[in-house]
Amino acid sequence: MTIGARGPLSFVIPFRGGKLAALILIGVSVSTSTVLFQTVSQNRILTPSIMGFDALYVMILTGAVFFLGGMTVAGLSDQITFAVTACAMTLAALALFSTLLRSGQNNLLRMILTGIVLGALFRSLTDFMQRLIDPNEFAIIQGASYARFSHVEVDLLLIATVLCGLALVMTWRMRFALDVMALGREAAVNLGLDVGRLQMRALILTAVLVAVSTALVGPVAFLGLLVVSLARLVTPVERHGVILVSAGLISTITLIGGQTVLERVFKLSTPLSVVIDLLGGVLFLILLLKGRHR
């Protein structure tokens, strides 16, 4: 909050306080959504970003520039852009997750495969539209394709905090049921858990957390995989009460520490999301090779 501060603290503290609050909110939301999704899918490699939600975000922005024009999109208020993007991503996620209305492992596998295929489709449509738009308008899309931690609108931060806060509270109340679901579908059913209902609740909360956090600052593809994997390494327990807190703390430390280093040492020579995606991508390949070896 005060590193390198040259102006009056009455300006520095509120200015950096908003950025700090955004980093904490995004870190906890992304880590929580990843833990929820991995518990539901029974897979420690899959994340909502790998399922194509980040690609959907970029496609929505590209489509807006393609059909409405860059000047029109740039002139829209941040509140309208945030509301449209968050609602579109949430509805798309719920449409995908509706395949779980009929409980069963086959439906879950179909949902995962559908999400991966749709992610590839979104990226292809985005590339197609980007090749057709004016090169000057492409700068608008390029700037929004990476997470923006340096500048966050306070009004949007307040709305995002309320929505994500409600989702986080509901997730915390489900932590013991998630512990049972992590034992496996058959074991959870034998213990009296309504697995289908719990899956839908967890996936709806995942959709809200991912949609709001992405609409607020932009896509961070591999942050969830990176911090949750580190959390499971630091706190090797299967209790969600521990994993959720551990992953949230590690995610927050990663974002705040990384942003501080990039601002004060590297003078913002590269966005923080690029570094995180690089490290997360390497970790993703390591986990894939490790699973194949097993």
Side-chain angles (χ1 to χ4, degrees), residues 151-172:
H151 176 70
V152 178
E153 292 293 335
V154 178
D155 294 338
L156 299 183
L157 180 60
L158 179 61
I159 299 173
T161 301
V162 173
L163 295 175
C164 291
L166 292 174
L168 292 172
V169 170
M170 295 179 65
T171 301
W172 183 254

Side-chain angles (χ1 to χ4, degrees), residues 26 30-31 33-34 38 45-58 123 145-149 210 213-214 217-228 255 272-284:
I26 298 304
V30 171
S31 63
S33 64
T34 302
Q38 289 183 351
I45 297 180
L46 291 177
T47 66
S49 299
I50 296 176
M51 292 283 292
F53 291 107
D54 288 349
L56 175 62
Y57 171 80
V58 178
R123 294 182 182 92
S145 299
Y146 300 97
R148 306 171 300 278
F149 298 114
V210 172
S213 60
T214 304
V217 298
V220 187
F222 289 101
L223 175 62
L225 177 65
L226 179 63
V227 299
V228 173
L255 291 181
L272 176 60
S273 58
V274 174
V275 179
I276 292 176
D277 289 346
L278 174 62
L279 297 177
V282 173
L283 177 62
F284 179 71

Side-chain angles (χ1 to χ4, degrees), residues 239-259:
R239 296 195 305 273
H240 281 76
V242 177
I243 292 296
L244 288 172
V245 174
S246 175
L249 290 174
I250 292 176
S251 182
T252 302
I253 292 172
T254 300
L255 291 181
I256 296 176
Q259 187 69 18

Side-chain angles (χ1 to χ4, degrees), residues 162-237:
V162 173
L163 295 175
C164 291
L166 292 174
L168 292 172
V169 170
M170 295 179 65
T171 301
W172 183 254
R173 296 182 62 182
M174 293 167 49
R175 64 189 186 280
F176 298 118
L178 294 172
D179 291 341
V180 177
M181 189 167 64
L183 299 175
R185 180 179 181 82
E186 294 182 0
V189 171
N190 291 333
L191 291 173
L193 187 68
D194 189 348
V195 177
R197 182 179 179 182
L198 183 62
Q199 283 180 336
M200 282 305 303
R201 289 176 59 189
L203 291 173
I204 290 173
L205 293 176
T206 300
V208 172
L209 290 172
V210 172
V212 173
S213 60
T214 304
L216 180 63
V217 298
V220 187
F222 289 101
L223 175 62
L225 177 65
L226 179 63
V227 299
V228 173
S229 298
L230 290 175
R232 296 187 186 279
L233 181 63
V234 175
T235 54
V237 296

Side-chain angles (χ1 to χ4, degrees), residues 27 36 40 65 86 97 130 144 171 177 191 216 218 226 241 290:
L36 284 173
V40 172
V65 174
F97 294 159
Q130 288 179 354
T171 301
L191 291 173
L216 180 63
L226 179 63
K290 184 178 179 181

